Amino acid sequence: MSSETIIRQYRAADQDAVGDLWARAVRQAHSSIDGEGEGERAPDLREDSVARGERWVAERDGRVVGLLQLIDGRRHGSAGSGVEIDGPFVAPEAQGSGIGRELVEHAAELHGALCLTVFEENQRARGFYRLLGFLERSWRTDEETGRALICMEREAPLRSVSWLHLREGRLLSVRTRGNDTFYLPGGKYEPGETAREALSRELSEELGLVVPEEQLSEAFVIHDVAHGKNGRRLHMTCFTGGPQAIAPEPGREIAEYAWFDREEALLRCAPAHSQVVDRLIAQGRMPG
């Protein structure tokens, strides 16, 4: 199965494929519930039901392998603050390949704070959500089954931008004063800024570099744990482009800069660096 995932909105033509994967996924997850995935406990995938929530599917190699429905949790009051997740549901043969995580992060990118409910006995799902930064806040009884439901919440991820600048296969990184950890050049958005505007400003403030926003091209987005933020998630948009011959002049809070190879980056940089380095190696831009 290809590693590339396409996340798109649900279409009526997906009904049979989604119904099948949903039934198989919930039977696996809730094996102790009689009739799960069948009859009255089958999903309502009619077109008129889409209005009740926002529905997304994950597709790989032309096959629908994941489903996520979003409901306004504040309106329904079922889990907590933010937008409620119903799912993700992933076809059993595609589980463990990152599809569920991608669907959750897609929801967070759209709506920020998220919440959900999960059966107390479903330890596997609870562990998965904890890894993605959800915290267990309360519990209630499911009216249909009489079983305990755990209500979990995750605050909106920190959104940042970063610059990928390579010199002889080594990645430019910066360290702030009073901190031993290196990060990618960049930072957070100011109100009203686009991602490119934010990064152009940050590079000027941090390193004295003039990188016009029109020269920046989005490379990829990284989802990880934000370093030093008590488990809060990070949504980091990475850009390439701009001048290659640069002479940085550390400014603002920057103590030093350096170009790191793979091993140095793993030892000295924030967690999100690992994903960035892996992507760059896969693209042939850094040696493995």
Side-chain angles (χ1 to χ4, degrees), residues 49-67:
S49 72
V50 175
R52 304 173 197 170
E54 181 183 338
R55 189 171 291 151
W56 296 87
V57 299
E59 189 178 89
R60 283 189 179 176
D61 294 331
R63 294 178 54 242
V64 174
V65 291
L67 168 70

Side-chain angles (χ1 to χ4, degrees), residues 71-238:
I71 305 167
D72 189 338
R74 288 163 294 190
R75 185 176 72 244
H76 289 256
S78 54
S81 61
V83 171
E84 181 184 357
I85 293 176
D86 182 15
F89 304 102
V90 179
E93 66 274 11
Q95 291 178 9
S97 60
I99 292 170
R101 176 185 57 80
E102 291 181 76
L103 282 165
V104 171
E105 297 299 353
H106 179 73
E109 183 173 353
L110 293 173
H111 297 289
L114 302 173
C115 61
L116 58 91
T117 55
V118 59
F119 282 111
E120 182 180 35
E121 63 199 44
N122 193 345
Q123 295 295 331
R124 181 181 179 186
R126 290 169 66 185
F128 167 74
Y129 292 126
R130 284 194 293 266
L131 284 174
L132 291 184
F134 286 84
L135 300 176
E136 298 183 355
R137 297 298 193 190
S138 60
W139 71 274
R140 63 180 177 85
T141 300
D142 179 47
E143 295 180 358
E144 294 185 32
T145 65
R147 297 168 185 260
L149 286 170
I150 302 294
C151 303
M152 306 182 73
E153 297 180 2
R154 191 182 93 167
E155 60 184 320
L158 291 170
R159 298 177 65 86
S160 69
V161 289
S162 65
W163 192 41
L164 307 179
H165 188 280
L166 289 148
R167 176 179 290 179
E168 297 179 351
R170 301 166 72 89
L171 183 61
L172 177 63
S173 304
V174 298
R175 181 179 65 82
T176 57
R177 294 185 180 90
N179 196 337
D180 293 331
T181 302
F182 280 78
Y183 303 85
L184 292 172
K188 300 175 185 177
Y189 299 71
E190 294 288 350
E193 283 185 325
T194 67
R196 288 175 176 82
E197 289 170 344
L199 183 53
S200 180
R201 173 186 52 76
E202 287 283 345
L203 293 175
S204 174
E205 294 174 355
E206 289 186 349
L207 296 172
L209 300 175
V210 177
V211 183
E213 60 184 273
E214 60 269 17
Q215 294 183 12
L216 295 168
S217 299
E218 183 174 332
F220 46 74
V221 175
I222 294 295
H223 302 284
D224 210 319
V225 176
H227 184 256
K229 299 296 182 180
N230 298 318
R232 189 171 180 181
R233 300 293 294 183
L234 172 70
H235 177 283
M236 181 170 70
T237 306
C238 301

